[in-house]
Amino acid sequence: MGLFDFFKKKKEIVDLTVQNLSVGCILEYDLQSWIVKDKTEYDWGNNQFSFEYTIENGSDSSFLHVNTSPTLKLDVSSEIKMFDLGRDVKQTIVETDSPPKKIVFKGIEYFLSDEFLGHCKSVNDDDEDWSKFVNWVFNNGDESEFISLNRWSETEIDGVHGRYVQEFEFSNFLSSPEK
């Protein structure tokens, strides 16, 4: 490497935010450091897109979902077991092809608010590896928390419980050491 080669290899400095993180980036949330382990892209149709980071803090794994259209909307969620929602929820979906209107989780009622048909894939997957699913969102009374159920096949259904958050709750973004 010659003296002038040093000046040719300028790296572009990127101001990291919740909207442009990549796998390996580190961020602060809820007084803890989290590392981005995966990024999933979502296509909701009608030119609506969002993405989700899988983040880990060493003991817990969560999802940071980022929707930028038309305004920035963020939520953080964690996986829940279907049986924690009661035995009738999955059975109702499988038998009727629709969810119940209300779910009770940890003594709190959540009411069906939205239904979406979507496609998703990890940024590490091939461009053709999109998975199709149906998504149902249930909100609590003050719409601060939600339960989201995804149906991937006839009987494959999973869920997350989360809360809506603000961008200022995230800080100290560090780029991936590999970048």
Side-chain angles (χ1 to χ4, degrees), residues 43-58:
D43 182 347
W44 302 104
N46 295 326
N47 215 18
Q48 298 290 314
F49 303 94
S50 64
F51 54 91
E52 179 179 80
Y53 303 111
T54 301
I55 56 175
E56 295 180 0
N57 68 0

Side-chain angles (χ1 to χ4, degrees), residues 152-165:
W152 302 96
S153 66
E154 188 68 28
T155 59
E156 185 183 0
I157 303 166
D158 61 29
V160 296
H161 171 253
R163 69 181 192 90
Y164 299 102
V165 294

Side-chain angles (χ1 to χ4, degrees), residues 63-78:
F63 305 102
L64 168 57
H65 187 255
V66 180
N67 186 342
T68 58
S69 54
T71 60
L72 181 63
K73 296 176 188 168
L74 305 170
D75 64 69
V76 174
S77 61
S78 298

Side-chain angles (χ1 to χ4, degrees), residues 22-172:
S22 59
V23 174
C25 287
I26 298 171
L27 61 127
E28 296 288 324
Y29 168 69
D30 199 25
L31 301 175
Q32 298 178 22
S33 294
W34 298 79
I35 186 166
V36 176
K37 292 295 196 173
D38 194 15
K39 183 176 179 180
T40 302
E41 301 172 341
Y42 290 87
D43 182 347
W44 302 104
N46 295 326
N47 215 18
Q48 298 290 314
F49 303 94
S50 64
F51 54 91
E52 179 179 80
Y53 303 111
T54 301
I55 56 175
E56 295 180 0
N57 68 0
S59 59
D60 293 321
S61 180
S62 294
F63 305 102
L64 168 57
H65 187 255
V66 180
N67 186 342
T68 58
S69 54
T71 60
L72 181 63
K73 296 176 188 168
L74 305 170
D75 64 69
V76 174
S77 61
S78 298
E79 286 185 54
I80 56 175
K81 306 254 188 281
M82 286 302 294
F83 62 79
D84 288 339
L85 302 176
R87 62 186 176 106
D88 295 339
V89 173
K90 183 174 181 177
Q91 183 178 351
T92 299
I93 293 170
V94 171
E95 291 176 359
T96 67
D97 286 330
S98 61
K101 302 290 182 223
K102 176 179 80 170
I103 291 176
V104 178
F105 179 67
K106 294 186 178 180
I108 299 172
E109 293 181 331
Y110 294 82
F111 299 92
L112 181 63
S113 64
D114 293 300
E115 178 177 335
F116 305 100
L117 179 61
H119 296 82
C120 71
K121 74 173 194 73
S122 169
V123 294
N124 297 320
D125 293 342
D126 292 333
D127 285 340
E128 292 84 35
D129 287 344
W130 289 85
S131 298
K132 184 177 178 179
F133 66 101
V134 177
N135 172 255
W136 295 288
V137 179
F138 298 79
N139 285 307
N140 67 343
D142 66 4
E143 296 186 351
S144 62
E145 295 182 11
F146 66 91
I147 291 177
S148 177
L149 300 180
N150 294 321
R151 183 177 191 181
W152 302 96
S153 66
E154 188 68 28
T155 59
E156 185 183 0
I157 303 166
D158 61 29
V160 296
H161 171 253
R163 69 181 192 90
Y164 299 102
V165 294
Q166 300 295 317
E167 188 172 16
F168 70 82
E169 296 181 55
F170 302 89
S171 63
N172 296 334

